[in-house]
């Protein structure tokens, strides 16, 4: 895409026109666009209401999965969250530095790092879970129970689609 150059001497540049209603072209019909817009709204509220913005959704997801699956390997956690290995190591480092999880080397396979919550991690999880459910309820309230279930099922179909 070529940028327009500055007007030459003697030329007059047209003033920007104020648009009262923006034509969104095809964007409102695109699944990705609508999911991204919804994700932005969810992310902003999450940052305001869960852990005073000190934790990101991926961190909460990792804590919840480690709690539900004591000893889960980093590689399994990365696969479940669709996070690359390098990003997973960084995420686990942050959780470990916070004192919420511990890595334990497997006795069967020394390359495997099992993850478990610490007592502090369990306490943090309980607090975060309450805050997360309050956050979730704000948006779930926009739908009937059957609509919410349908929405979740439709989104799950997307994130399990082969690409």
């Amino acid at each position: 895409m070529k940028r327009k150059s500055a007007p030459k001497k003697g030329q007059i540049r047209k003033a920007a026109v104020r648009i009262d209603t923006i034509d969104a072209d095809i964007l409102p019909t695109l699944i990705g666009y609508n999911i991204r817009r919804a994700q932005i709204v969810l992310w902003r509220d999450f940052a305001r209401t869960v852990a005073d913005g000190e934790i990101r959704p991926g961190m909460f997801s990792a804590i919840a999965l480690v709690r539900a699956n004591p000893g889960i390997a980093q590689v399994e956690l990365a696969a479940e969250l669709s996070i690359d290995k390098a990003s997973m190591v960084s995420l686990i480092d942050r959780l470990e530095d916070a004192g919420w999880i511990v890595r334990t080397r497997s006795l069967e396979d020394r390359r495997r790092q099992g993850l478990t919550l610490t007592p502090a991690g369990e306490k943090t999880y309980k607090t975060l879970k309450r805050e997360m459910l309050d956050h979730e309820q704000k948006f779930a309230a926009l739908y009937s129970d059957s609509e919410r279930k349908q929405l979740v099922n439709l989104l799950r179909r997307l994130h399990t689609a082969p690409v």
Side-chain angles (χ1 to χ4, degrees):
M1 190 173 208
K2 193 172 182 180
R3 266 183 98 174
K4 292 182 179 180
S5 59
K8 295 188 180 359
K9 192 174 184 173
Q11 288 182 328
I12 299 173
R13 180 180 272 178
K14 291 182 180 180
V17 177
R18 180 180 169 94
I19 300 175
D20 293 326
T21 304
I22 295 176
D23 180 350
D25 197 56
I26 67 166
L27 295 177
T29 68
L30 301 175
I31 294 169
Y33 176 79
N34 284 288
I35 289 174
R36 180 65 177 142
R37 293 289 306 267
Q39 191 269 339
I40 290 168
V41 171
L42 290 164
W43 169 252
R44 286 181 181 155
D45 186 73
F46 181 95
R48 278 192 302 269
T49 60
V50 178
D52 296 322
E54 296 296 317
I55 190 164
R56 295 195 302 270
M59 294 172 78
F60 174 77
S61 297
I63 291 168
L65 288 169
V66 169
R67 182 182 185 276
N69 303 278
I72 189 171
Q74 286 181 210
V75 68
E76 295 164 338
L77 187 60
E80 180 63 26
L81 294 174
S82 299
I83 297 175
D84 64 83
K85 291 177 186 177
S87 297
M88 180 53 62
V89 169
S90 175
L91 174 62
I92 298 303
D93 285 346
R94 285 194 302 273
L95 296 174
E96 191 174 44
D97 290 346
W100 297 336
I101 66 156
V102 292
R103 289 177 171 115
T104 307
R105 189 167 306 279
S106 170
L107 298 175
E108 294 86 37
D109 182 350
R110 296 194 39 82
R111 295 169 295 177
R112 180 182 166 100
Q113 296 275 336
L115 304 171
T116 54
L117 281 188
T118 64
E122 181 68 32
K123 183 178 178 184
T124 297
Y125 169 77
K126 287 178 181 175
T127 300
L128 292 174
K129 181 180 176 184
R130 266 193 319 276
E131 292 174 358
M132 179 56 120
L133 291 173
D134 289 345
H135 158 73
E136 184 77 6
Q137 182 53 40
K138 289 179 207 172
F139 298 97
L142 298 172
Y143 305 98
S144 69
D145 285 344
S146 63
E147 287 174 326
R148 188 193 57 76
K149 287 176 186 172
Q150 182 181 23
L151 176 60
V152 170
N153 286 332
L154 292 170
L155 291 172
R156 289 180 63 124
R157 191 182 313 165
L158 272 178
H159 70 77
T160 59
V163 286

